């Protein structure tokens, strides 16, 4: 990996301000103009966000060199591929809670804000731990390999949103209205403040965002140890998630091998982290995986997964993609019985 970058406080402030400004635009549009997002609008916004991410990468490479620049582009590719799995779960949540089409824009935007907040916290924690203890690379690597194995084993599963412990607790402690009340989170019913189903949807998305952050942050730290790069690739990957959802929601069901591909990518990055720890703490003779090789491997895996998925669904139209889960439904049921 490249040597530590000297990122000024002004650069941090301008970057965070730019991200917040983009989020504010999304929030204002979602709150003030609930509407069905068509394919044309989604395509335009998707192109805009990808162009922003690529333009930032070019600027970053010109100012900080090819090494950190390559790490940025590889990290962005990793986070963008993992964010597609996010979209699967968002679709499941919105279907489970029957979110009206005009409110899905708002749900996605709030979900992105929650994801960014959680990832910012994990980035700060991860960077602090890595600066203090080099063996954290080993722990991150083992975590990613474990996650990859579980995801591959249960690649045809779906997360059990209704039995999520936070969602079930929210249902018990908070009175809820039957309908969405025009997209409000809370409303008045008989003089009492009650929640709407939209609040429950955001609770579900928030807990899922937390789980995804636990995977994505170690994964990108496997590409770069620069907190600034980690923050930027997460921010720009997530900012385009809302538009990408409306653009590819019809295609998601056809990516039947995506979970298997993501498990391979996570395992590869896990091995990369372990080799890096061995190289730094055990013996310099242990080889490290170059960043450019990581880029090639990840790009090839994603390309093969996409092509193979489209060929599979063309031959077998009944085949349907699943986001994957770390546990089967039976394992989750057994865990709930033990808690009960």
């Amino acid at each position: 990996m490249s040597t530590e970058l000297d990122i000024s406080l002004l650069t941090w402030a301008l970057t965070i301000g730019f991200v917040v400004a983009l989020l504010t635009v999304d929030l204002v549009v979602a709150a003030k103009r609930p509407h069905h997002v068509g394919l044309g609008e989604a395509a335009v916004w998707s192109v805009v966000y990808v162009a922003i991410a690529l333009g930032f990468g070019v600027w970053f490479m010109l100012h900080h060199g090819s090494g950190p620049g390559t790490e940025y582009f590889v990290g962005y590719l990793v986070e963008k591929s993992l964010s597609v799995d996010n979209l699967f779960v968002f679709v499941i949540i919105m279907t489970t809670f029957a979110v009206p089409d005009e409110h899905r824009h708002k749900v996605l935007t709030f979900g992105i804000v929650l994801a960014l907040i959680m990832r910012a916290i994990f980035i700060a924690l991860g960077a602090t731990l890595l600066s203090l203890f080099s063996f954290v690379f080993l722990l991150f690597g083992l975590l990613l390999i474990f996650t990859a194995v579980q995801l591959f084993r249960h690649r045809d599963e779906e997360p059990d949103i209704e039995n999520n412990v936070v969602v079930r607790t929210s249902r018990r402690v908070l009175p809820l209205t039957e309908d969405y009340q025009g997209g409000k989170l809370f409303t008045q019913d008989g003089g009492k403040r009650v929640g709407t189903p939209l609040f429950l949807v955001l609770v579900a998305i928030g807990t899922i965002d937390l789980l995804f952050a636990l995977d994505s942050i170690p994964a990108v730290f496997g590409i770069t140890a620069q907190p600034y790069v980690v923050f930027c690739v997460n921010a720009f990957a997530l900012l385009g998630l809302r538009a990408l959802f409306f653009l590819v929601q019809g295609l998601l069901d056809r990516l039947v091998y995506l979970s298997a591909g993501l498990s391979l990518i996570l395992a590869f990055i896990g091995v990369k982290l372990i080799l890096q720890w061995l190289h730094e703490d055990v013996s310099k003779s242990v080889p490290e995986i170059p960043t450019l090789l990581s880029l090639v491997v990840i790009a090839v895996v994603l390309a093969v997964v996409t092509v193979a998925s489209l060929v599979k669904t063309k031959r077998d139209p009944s085949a349907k993609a699943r986001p994957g889960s770390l546990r089967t439904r039976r394992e989750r049921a057994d865990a709930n019985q033990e808690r009960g």
Side-chain angles (χ1 to χ4, degrees), residues 15 19 53 56-57 60 68-80 83 116 119 123 216-217 219-221 223-224 226-240:
T15 304
V19 171
F56 176 87
F60 185 74
T70 302
E71 290 178 2
Y72 168 82
F73 283 111
V74 178
Y76 178 72
L77 184 61
V78 169
E79 290 302 315
K80 201 66 177 176
S83 72
L116 274 172
R119 294 184 189 204
I123 289 168
S216 65
I217 297 305
V220 76
F221 269 118
I223 302 300
T224 176
Q226 312 289 347
Y228 180 75
V229 178
V230 175
F231 171 78
C232 290
V233 297
N234 271 275
F236 290 126
L238 287 172
L239 282 171

mmCIF file of all heavy atoms in Angstrom, residues 15 19 53 56-57 60 68-80 83 116 119 123 216-217 219-221 223-224 226-240:
data_model
loop_
_atom_site.group_PDB
_atom_site.id
_atom_site.type_symbol
_atom_site.label_atom_id
_atom_site.label_comp_id
_atom_site.label_asym_id
_atom_site.label_seq_id
_atom_site.Cartn_x
_atom_site.Cartn_y
_atom_site.Cartn_z
ATOM 1 N N THR A 15 -14.404 18.248 1.138
ATOM 2 C CA THR A 15 -14.947 16.972 0.664
ATOM 3 C C THR A 15 -16.241 16.629 1.389
ATOM 4 O O THR A 15 -17.247 16.268 0.757
ATOM 5 C CB THR A 15 -13.922 15.841 0.873
ATOM 6 O OG1 THR A 15 -12.695 16.189 0.220
ATOM 7 C CG2 THR A 15 -14.449 14.532 0.295
ATOM 8 N N VAL A 19 -20.088 16.319 -0.160
ATOM 9 C CA VAL A 19 -20.945 15.146 0.032
ATOM 10 C C VAL A 19 -22.258 15.548 0.692
ATOM 11 O O VAL A 19 -23.345 15.121 0.277
ATOM 12 C CB VAL A 19 -20.211 14.077 0.863
ATOM 13 C CG1 VAL A 19 -21.175 12.953 1.258
ATOM 14 C CG2 VAL A 19 -19.035 13.513 0.098
ATOM 15 N N ALA A 53 -17.796 10.665 -9.298
ATOM 16 C CA ALA A 53 -16.843 9.753 -8.665
ATOM 17 C C ALA A 53 -15.578 9.602 -9.507
ATOM 18 O O ALA A 53 -14.456 9.638 -8.982
ATOM 19 C CB ALA A 53 -17.491 8.387 -8.445
ATOM 20 N N PHE A 56 -13.581 12.919 -9.504
ATOM 21 C CA PHE A 56 -12.842 13.051 -8.252
ATOM 22 C C PHE A 56 -11.609 12.158 -8.275
ATOM 23 O O PHE A 56 -10.529 12.568 -7.829
ATOM 24 C CB PHE A 56 -13.728 12.686 -7.065
ATOM 25 C CG PHE A 56 -12.995 12.701 -5.752
ATOM 26 C CD1 PHE A 56 -12.884 13.875 -5.027
ATOM 27 C CD2 PHE A 56 -12.394 11.552 -5.249
ATOM 28 C CE1 PHE A 56 -12.190 13.917 -3.824
ATOM 29 C CE2 PHE A 56 -11.701 11.575 -4.054
ATOM 30 C CZ PHE A 56 -11.597 12.765 -3.337
ATOM 31 N N GLY A 57 -11.751 10.931 -8.794
ATOM 32 C CA GLY A 57 -10.619 10.011 -8.859
ATOM 33 C C GLY A 57 -9.482 10.553 -9.708
ATOM 34 O O GLY A 57 -8.306 10.416 -9.350
ATOM 35 N N PHE A 60 -7.842 13.307 -7.756
ATOM 36 C CA PHE A 60 -7.083 12.722 -6.655
ATOM 37 C C PHE A 60 -5.776 12.113 -7.152
ATOM 38 O O PHE A 60 -4.719 12.289 -6.533
ATOM 39 C CB PHE A 60 -7.943 11.665 -5.960
ATOM 40 C CG PHE A 60 -7.316 11.067 -4.737
ATOM 41 C CD1 PHE A 60 -7.240 11.793 -3.562
ATOM 42 C CD2 PHE A 60 -6.800 9.783 -4.762
ATOM 43 C CE1 PHE A 60 -6.644 11.248 -2.428
ATOM 44 C CE2 PHE A 60 -6.210 9.231 -3.645
ATOM 45 C CZ PHE A 60 -6.133 9.970 -2.466
ATOM 46 N N PRO A 68 -1.928 6.050 -4.706
ATOM 47 C CA PRO A 68 -3.190 6.347 -4.013
ATOM 48 C C PRO A 68 -4.374 6.441 -4.975
ATOM 49 O O PRO A 68 -5.488 6.046 -4.628
ATOM 50 C CB PRO A 68 -2.914 7.703 -3.353
ATOM 51 C CG PRO A 68 -1.431 7.746 -3.192
ATOM 52 C CD PRO A 68 -0.885 7.043 -4.394
ATOM 53 N N GLY A 69 -4.124 6.945 -6.199
ATOM 54 C CA GLY A 69 -5.212 7.041 -7.170
ATOM 55 C C GLY A 69 -5.747 5.679 -7.566
ATOM 56 O O GLY A 69 -6.963 5.480 -7.680
ATOM 57 N N THR A 70 -4.830 4.733 -7.784
ATOM 58 C CA THR A 70 -5.257 3.369 -8.105
ATOM 59 C C THR A 70 -6.027 2.755 -6.953
ATOM 60 O O THR A 70 -7.037 2.070 -7.159
ATOM 61 C CB THR A 70 -4.030 2.496 -8.444
ATOM 62 O OG1 THR A 70 -3.319 3.089 -9.533
ATOM 63 C CG2 THR A 70 -4.463 1.081 -8.841
ATOM 64 N N GLU A 71 -5.562 2.998 -5.727
ATOM 65 C CA GLU A 71 -6.276 2.492 -4.554
ATOM 66 C C GLU A 71 -7.698 3.052 -4.502
ATOM 67 O O GLU A 71 -8.648 2.339 -4.163
ATOM 68 C CB GLU A 71 -5.529 2.871 -3.271
ATOM 69 C CG GLU A 71 -4.212 2.127 -3.092
ATOM 70 C CD GLU A 71 -3.473 2.548 -1.836
ATOM 71 O OE1 GLU A 71 -4.008 3.401 -1.088
ATOM 72 O OE2 GLU A 71 -2.375 2.031 -1.583
ATOM 73 N N TYR A 72 -7.843 4.322 -4.865
ATOM 74 C CA TYR A 72 -9.183 4.922 -4.884
ATOM 75 C C TYR A 72 -10.089 4.206 -5.877
ATOM 76 O O TYR A 72 -11.223 3.837 -5.541
ATOM 77 C CB TYR A 72 -9.100 6.408 -5.239
ATOM 78 C CG TYR A 72 -10.449 7.012 -5.562
ATOM 79 C CD1 TYR A 72 -11.305 7.437 -4.555
ATOM 80 C CD2 TYR A 72 -10.888 7.105 -6.883
ATOM 81 C CE1 TYR A 72 -12.555 7.966 -4.858
ATOM 82 C CE2 TYR A 72 -12.127 7.626 -7.190
ATOM 83 C CZ TYR A 72 -12.960 8.055 -6.176
ATOM 84 O OH TYR A 72 -14.207 8.553 -6.470
ATOM 85 N N PHE A 73 -9.611 3.989 -7.093
ATOM 86 C CA PHE A 73 -10.452 3.379 -8.120
ATOM 87 C C PHE A 73 -10.784 1.923 -7.787
ATOM 88 O O PHE A 73 -11.916 1.475 -8.023
ATOM 89 C CB PHE A 73 -9.786 3.485 -9.491
ATOM 90 C CG PHE A 73 -9.889 4.847 -10.110
ATOM 91 C CD1 PHE A 73 -8.764 5.646 -10.266
ATOM 92 C CD2 PHE A 73 -11.111 5.345 -10.520
ATOM 93 C CE1 PHE A 73 -8.857 6.909 -10.834
ATOM 94 C CE2 PHE A 73 -11.228 6.610 -11.087
ATOM 95 C CZ PHE A 73 -10.092 7.393 -11.235
ATOM 96 N N VAL A 74 -9.813 1.184 -7.233
ATOM 97 C CA VAL A 74 -10.100 -0.200 -6.834
ATOM 98 C C VAL A 74 -11.099 -0.216 -5.684
ATOM 99 O O VAL A 74 -12.049 -1.011 -5.674
ATOM 100 C CB VAL A 74 -8.805 -0.940 -6.425
ATOM 101 C CG1 VAL A 74 -9.129 -2.354 -5.962
ATOM 102 C CG2 VAL A 74 -7.829 -0.991 -7.585
ATOM 103 N N GLY A 75 -10.886 0.670 -4.704
ATOM 104 C CA GLY A 75 -11.824 0.751 -3.577
ATOM 105 C C GLY A 75 -13.231 1.120 -4.022
ATOM 106 O O GLY A 75 -14.215 0.569 -3.530
ATOM 107 N N TYR A 76 -13.313 2.043 -4.977
ATOM 108 C CA TYR A 76 -14.631 2.439 -5.499
ATOM 109 C C TYR A 76 -15.315 1.267 -6.179
ATOM 110 O O TYR A 76 -16.527 1.051 -6.015
ATOM 111 C CB TYR A 76 -14.467 3.607 -6.477
ATOM 112 C CG TYR A 76 -15.762 4.061 -7.113
ATOM 113 C CD1 TYR A 76 -16.707 4.758 -6.373
ATOM 114 C CD2 TYR A 76 -16.042 3.786 -8.451
ATOM 115 C CE1 TYR A 76 -17.898 5.181 -6.944
ATOM 116 C CE2 TYR A 76 -17.214 4.206 -9.040
ATOM 117 C CZ TYR A 76 -18.143 4.898 -8.284
ATOM 118 O OH TYR A 76 -19.322 5.301 -8.860
ATOM 119 N N LEU A 77 -14.556 0.488 -6.943
ATOM 120 C CA LEU A 77 -15.125 -0.684 -7.618
ATOM 121 C C LEU A 77 -15.635 -1.706 -6.602
ATOM 122 O O LEU A 77 -16.723 -2.272 -6.770
ATOM 123 C CB LEU A 77 -14.073 -1.313 -8.529
ATOM 124 C CG LEU A 77 -14.533 -2.496 -9.396
ATOM 125 C CD1 LEU A 77 -15.638 -2.069 -10.341
ATOM 126 C CD2 LEU A 77 -13.348 -3.072 -10.176
ATOM 127 N N VAL A 78 -14.862 -1.925 -5.537
ATOM 128 C CA VAL A 78 -15.289 -2.857 -4.488
ATOM 129 C C VAL A 78 -16.571 -2.376 -3.826
ATOM 130 O O VAL A 78 -17.545 -3.131 -3.681
ATOM 131 C CB VAL A 78 -14.181 -3.034 -3.429
ATOM 132 C CG1 VAL A 78 -14.712 -3.774 -2.205
ATOM 133 C CG2 VAL A 78 -12.994 -3.781 -4.013
ATOM 134 N N GLU A 79 -16.601 -1.111 -3.410
ATOM 135 C CA GLU A 79 -17.773 -0.582 -2.706
ATOM 136 C C GLU A 79 -18.988 -0.514 -3.626
ATOM 137 O O GLU A 79 -20.119 -0.734 -3.179
ATOM 138 C CB GLU A 79 -17.456 0.804 -2.138
ATOM 139 C CG GLU A 79 -16.481 0.783 -0.991
ATOM 140 C CD GLU A 79 -16.971 -0.066 0.168
ATOM 141 O OE1 GLU A 79 -18.136 0.038 0.559
ATOM 142 O OE2 GLU A 79 -16.166 -0.866 0.679
ATOM 143 N N LYS A 80 -18.773 -0.221 -4.889
ATOM 144 C CA LYS A 80 -19.899 -0.159 -5.826
ATOM 145 C C LYS A 80 -20.510 -1.550 -6.011
ATOM 146 O O LYS A 80 -21.740 -1.696 -6.054
ATOM 147 C CB LYS A 80 -19.417 0.390 -7.177
ATOM 148 C CG LYS A 80 -20.532 0.973 -8.029
ATOM 149 C CD LYS A 80 -21.118 2.218 -7.380
ATOM 150 C CE LYS A 80 -22.172 2.869 -8.237
ATOM 151 N NZ LYS A 80 -22.796 4.023 -7.559
ATOM 152 N N SER A 83 -22.422 -2.413 -2.966
ATOM 153 C CA SER A 83 -23.643 -1.616 -2.849
ATOM 154 C C SER A 83 -24.785 -2.215 -3.658
ATOM 155 O O SER A 83 -25.959 -2.005 -3.334
ATOM 156 C CB SER A 83 -23.386 -0.172 -3.300
ATOM 157 O OG SER A 83 -23.231 -0.079 -4.708
ATOM 158 N N LEU A 116 -24.068 6.238 5.449
ATOM 159 C CA LEU A 116 -22.880 7.086 5.503
ATOM 160 C C LEU A 116 -22.477 7.392 6.939
ATOM 161 O O LEU A 116 -21.285 7.387 7.281
ATOM 162 C CB LEU A 116 -23.140 8.391 4.746
ATOM 163 C CG LEU A 116 -22.886 8.366 3.237
ATOM 164 C CD1 LEU A 116 -23.362 9.663 2.603
ATOM 165 C CD2 LEU A 116 -21.417 8.142 2.948
ATOM 166 N N ARG A 119 -20.938 4.228 8.439
ATOM 167 C CA ARG A 119 -19.633 3.918 7.855
ATOM 168 C C ARG A 119 -18.576 4.923 8.284
ATOM 169 O O ARG A 119 -17.413 4.566 8.453
ATOM 170 C CB ARG A 119 -19.753 3.819 6.335
ATOM 171 C CG ARG A 119 -20.606 2.639 5.925
ATOM 172 C CD ARG A 119 -20.675 2.427 4.441
ATOM 173 N NE ARG A 119 -21.674 1.409 4.124
ATOM 174 C CZ ARG A 119 -21.671 0.678 3.031
ATOM 175 N NH1 ARG A 119 -20.710 0.836 2.146
ATOM 176 N NH2 ARG A 119 -22.615 -0.220 2.819
ATOM 177 N N ILE A 123 -15.188 3.830 9.891
ATOM 178 C CA ILE A 123 -13.931 4.258 9.279
ATOM 179 C C ILE A 123 -13.011 4.845 10.351
ATOM 180 O O ILE A 123 -11.815 4.535 10.408
ATOM 181 C CB ILE A 123 -14.189 5.286 8.162
ATOM 182 C CG1 ILE A 123 -14.836 4.602 6.949
ATOM 183 C CG2 ILE A 123 -12.883 5.968 7.737
ATOM 184 C CD1 ILE A 123 -15.389 5.574 5.931
ATOM 185 N N SER A 216 -18.239 -3.988 4.553
ATOM 186 C CA SER A 216 -17.644 -3.134 3.524
ATOM 187 C C SER A 216 -16.431 -2.366 4.025
ATOM 188 O O SER A 216 -15.469 -2.166 3.262
ATOM 189 C CB SER A 216 -18.690 -2.154 2.982
ATOM 190 O OG SER A 216 -19.099 -1.246 3.987
ATOM 191 N N ILE A 217 -16.435 -1.946 5.284
ATOM 192 C CA ILE A 217 -15.296 -1.173 5.780
ATOM 193 C C ILE A 217 -14.026 -2.024 5.859
ATOM 194 O O ILE A 217 -12.963 -1.611 5.359
ATOM 195 C CB ILE A 217 -15.619 -0.515 7.136
ATOM 196 C CG1 ILE A 217 -16.774 0.488 6.976
ATOM 197 C CG2 ILE A 217 -14.394 0.187 7.702
ATOM 198 C CD1 ILE A 217 -16.537 1.554 5.926
ATOM 199 N N ALA A 219 -13.416 -4.543 4.057
ATOM 200 C CA ALA A 219 -13.088 -4.858 2.666
ATOM 201 C C ALA A 219 -12.295 -3.732 2.011
ATOM 202 O O ALA A 219 -11.287 -3.975 1.340
ATOM 203 C CB ALA A 219 -14.365 -5.135 1.871
ATOM 204 N N VAL A 220 -12.709 -2.503 2.205
ATOM 205 C CA VAL A 220 -11.999 -1.401 1.553
ATOM 206 C C VAL A 220 -10.680 -1.114 2.258
ATOM 207 O O VAL A 220 -9.713 -0.654 1.632
ATOM 208 C CB VAL A 220 -12.895 -0.143 1.472
ATOM 209 C CG1 VAL A 220 -13.010 0.557 2.820
ATOM 210 C CG2 VAL A 220 -12.367 0.832 0.415
ATOM 211 N N PHE A 221 -10.584 -1.388 3.568
ATOM 212 C CA PHE A 221 -9.296 -1.264 4.242
ATOM 213 C C PHE A 221 -8.307 -2.311 3.724
ATOM 214 O O PHE A 221 -7.097 -2.180 3.916
ATOM 215 C CB PHE A 221 -9.454 -1.384 5.756
ATOM 216 C CG PHE A 221 -9.670 -0.069 6.456
ATOM 217 C CD1 PHE A 221 -10.829 0.176 7.164
ATOM 218 C CD2 PHE A 221 -8.702 0.916 6.399
ATOM 219 C CE1 PHE A 221 -11.035 1.389 7.808
ATOM 220 C CE2 PHE A 221 -8.890 2.142 7.038
ATOM 221 C CZ PHE A 221 -10.058 2.384 7.747
ATOM 222 N N ILE A 223 -7.899 -2.693 0.650
ATOM 223 C CA ILE A 223 -7.367 -2.059 -0.554
ATOM 224 C C ILE A 223 -6.477 -0.876 -0.197
ATOM 225 O O ILE A 223 -5.432 -0.656 -0.800
ATOM 226 C CB ILE A 223 -8.518 -1.585 -1.464
ATOM 227 C CG1 ILE A 223 -9.419 -2.770 -1.843
ATOM 228 C CG2 ILE A 223 -7.985 -0.894 -2.711
ATOM 229 C CD1 ILE A 223 -8.705 -3.881 -2.591
ATOM 230 N N THR A 224 -6.899 -0.094 0.784
ATOM 231 C CA THR A 224 -6.146 1.093 1.176
ATOM 232 C C THR A 224 -6.271 1.325 2.675
ATOM 233 O O THR A 224 -7.336 1.066 3.261
ATOM 234 C CB THR A 224 -6.636 2.341 0.426
ATOM 235 O OG1 THR A 224 -5.934 3.496 0.908
ATOM 236 C CG2 THR A 224 -8.133 2.555 0.623
ATOM 237 N N GLN A 226 -5.732 4.374 3.847
ATOM 238 C CA GLN A 226 -5.917 5.819 3.940
ATOM 239 C C GLN A 226 -7.359 6.139 4.339
ATOM 240 O O GLN A 226 -8.276 5.910 3.544
ATOM 241 C CB GLN A 226 -5.606 6.485 2.591
ATOM 242 C CG GLN A 226 -4.305 6.051 1.943
ATOM 243 C CD GLN A 226 -3.097 6.580 2.673
ATOM 244 O OE1 GLN A 226 -3.202 7.463 3.514
ATOM 245 N NE2 GLN A 226 -1.928 6.048 2.345
ATOM 246 N N PRO A 227 -7.609 6.679 5.536
ATOM 247 C CA PRO A 227 -8.980 6.992 5.949
ATOM 248 C C PRO A 227 -9.708 7.910 4.976
ATOM 249 O O PRO A 227 -10.912 7.750 4.741
ATOM 250 C CB PRO A 227 -8.794 7.671 7.317
ATOM 251 C CG PRO A 227 -7.478 7.166 7.810
ATOM 252 C CD PRO A 227 -6.630 6.987 6.594
ATOM 253 N N TYR A 228 -8.982 8.864 4.381
ATOM 254 C CA TYR A 228 -9.612 9.786 3.437
ATOM 255 C C TYR A 228 -10.128 9.045 2.210
ATOM 256 O O TYR A 228 -11.248 9.288 1.741
ATOM 257 C CB TYR A 228 -8.609 10.859 3.015
ATOM 258 C CG TYR A 228 -9.157 11.874 2.040
ATOM 259 C CD1 TYR A 228 -10.031 12.872 2.468
ATOM 260 C CD2 TYR A 228 -8.804 11.836 0.694
ATOM 261 C CE1 TYR A 228 -10.538 13.812 1.569
ATOM 262 C CE2 TYR A 228 -9.294 12.768 -0.204
ATOM 263 C CZ TYR A 228 -10.169 13.750 0.234
ATOM 264 O OH TYR A 228 -10.671 14.674 -0.649
ATOM 265 N N VAL A 229 -9.330 8.114 1.685
ATOM 266 C CA VAL A 229 -9.739 7.336 0.516
ATOM 267 C C VAL A 229 -10.913 6.428 0.878
ATOM 268 O O VAL A 229 -11.876 6.297 0.107
ATOM 269 C CB VAL A 229 -8.556 6.505 -0.026
ATOM 270 C CG1 VAL A 229 -9.005 5.647 -1.212
ATOM 271 C CG2 VAL A 229 -7.407 7.411 -0.447
ATOM 272 N N VAL A 230 -10.840 5.802 2.049
ATOM 273 C CA VAL A 230 -11.926 4.920 2.496
ATOM 274 C C VAL A 230 -13.237 5.701 2.579
ATOM 275 O O VAL A 230 -14.291 5.235 2.138
ATOM 276 C CB VAL A 230 -11.588 4.284 3.857
ATOM 277 C CG1 VAL A 230 -12.775 3.477 4.372
ATOM 278 C CG2 VAL A 230 -10.360 3.381 3.742
ATOM 279 N N PHE A 231 -13.175 6.907 3.153
ATOM 280 C CA PHE A 231 -14.387 7.729 3.260
ATOM 281 C C PHE A 231 -14.918 8.103 1.878
ATOM 282 O O PHE A 231 -16.120 7.991 1.610
ATOM 283 C CB PHE A 231 -14.099 9.000 4.058
ATOM 284 C CG PHE A 231 -15.237 9.995 4.031
ATOM 285 C CD1 PHE A 231 -16.359 9.806 4.826
ATOM 286 C CD2 PHE A 231 -15.194 11.094 3.190
ATOM 287 C CE1 PHE A 231 -17.413 10.710 4.788
ATOM 288 C CE2 PHE A 231 -16.247 12.001 3.142
ATOM 289 C CZ PHE A 231 -17.360 11.809 3.948
ATOM 290 N N CYS A 232 -14.026 8.531 0.991
ATOM 291 C CA CYS A 232 -14.467 8.996 -0.328
ATOM 292 C C CYS A 232 -15.097 7.882 -1.151
ATOM 293 O O CYS A 232 -16.144 8.085 -1.782
ATOM 294 C CB CYS A 232 -13.292 9.620 -1.084
ATOM 295 S SG CYS A 232 -12.744 11.199 -0.390
ATOM 296 N N VAL A 233 -14.473 6.698 -1.176
ATOM 297 C CA VAL A 233 -15.034 5.627 -2.000
ATOM 298 C C VAL A 233 -16.388 5.184 -1.452
ATOM 299 O O VAL A 233 -17.306 4.863 -2.228
ATOM 300 C CB VAL A 233 -14.072 4.422 -2.112
ATOM 301 C CG1 VAL A 233 -12.800 4.831 -2.810
ATOM 302 C CG2 VAL A 233 -13.771 3.790 -0.766
ATOM 303 N N ASN A 234 -16.546 5.179 -0.118
ATOM 304 C CA ASN A 234 -17.844 4.841 0.458
ATOM 305 C C ASN A 234 -18.887 5.899 0.131
ATOM 306 O O ASN A 234 -20.021 5.584 -0.247
ATOM 307 C CB ASN A 234 -17.726 4.681 1.973
ATOM 308 C CG ASN A 234 -17.370 3.274 2.391
ATOM 309 O OD1 ASN A 234 -18.231 2.419 2.538
ATOM 310 N ND2 ASN A 234 -16.085 3.015 2.550
ATOM 311 N N ALA A 235 -18.494 7.166 0.268
ATOM 312 C CA ALA A 235 -19.442 8.256 0.013
ATOM 313 C C ALA A 235 -19.912 8.263 -1.431
ATOM 314 O O ALA A 235 -21.112 8.309 -1.714
ATOM 315 C CB ALA A 235 -18.793 9.594 0.373
ATOM 316 N N PHE A 236 -18.974 8.186 -2.379
ATOM 317 C CA PHE A 236 -19.354 8.268 -3.786
ATOM 318 C C PHE A 236 -20.075 7.006 -4.264
ATOM 319 O O PHE A 236 -20.934 7.083 -5.138
ATOM 320 C CB PHE A 236 -18.128 8.549 -4.647
ATOM 321 C CG PHE A 236 -17.575 9.939 -4.463
ATOM 322 C CD1 PHE A 236 -16.254 10.139 -4.129
ATOM 323 C CD2 PHE A 236 -18.396 11.042 -4.608
ATOM 324 C CE1 PHE A 236 -15.746 11.430 -3.941
ATOM 325 C CE2 PHE A 236 -17.911 12.331 -4.424
ATOM 326 C CZ PHE A 236 -16.577 12.521 -4.082
ATOM 327 N N ALA A 237 -19.755 5.847 -3.690
ATOM 328 C CA ALA A 237 -20.481 4.629 -4.049
ATOM 329 C C ALA A 237 -21.912 4.686 -3.548
ATOM 330 O O ALA A 237 -22.853 4.278 -4.238
ATOM 331 C CB ALA A 237 -19.772 3.403 -3.484
ATOM 332 N N LEU A 238 -22.100 5.212 -2.333
ATOM 333 C CA LEU A 238 -23.443 5.267 -1.748
ATOM 334 C C LEU A 238 -24.287 6.382 -2.347
ATOM 335 O O LEU A 238 -25.503 6.241 -2.482
ATOM 336 C CB LEU A 238 -23.346 5.463 -0.233
ATOM 337 C CG LEU A 238 -22.873 4.239 0.563
ATOM 338 C CD1 LEU A 238 -22.617 4.615 2.022
ATOM 339 C CD2 LEU A 238 -23.893 3.110 0.496
ATOM 340 N N LEU A 239 -23.663 7.494 -2.711
ATOM 341 C CA LEU A 239 -24.428 8.606 -3.264
ATOM 342 C C LEU A 239 -25.160 8.222 -4.544
ATOM 343 O O LEU A 239 -26.236 8.740 -4.826
ATOM 344 C CB LEU A 239 -23.505 9.802 -3.535
ATOM 345 C CG LEU A 239 -23.113 10.639 -2.314
ATOM 346 C CD1 LEU A 239 -22.048 11.644 -2.676
ATOM 347 C CD2 LEU A 239 -24.334 11.344 -1.735
ATOM 348 N N GLY A 240 -24.591 7.331 -5.317
ATOM 349 C CA GLY A 240 -25.246 6.913 -6.553
ATOM 350 C C GLY A 240 -26.213 5.769 -6.380
ATOM 351 O O GLY A 240 -26.818 5.306 -7.354
#
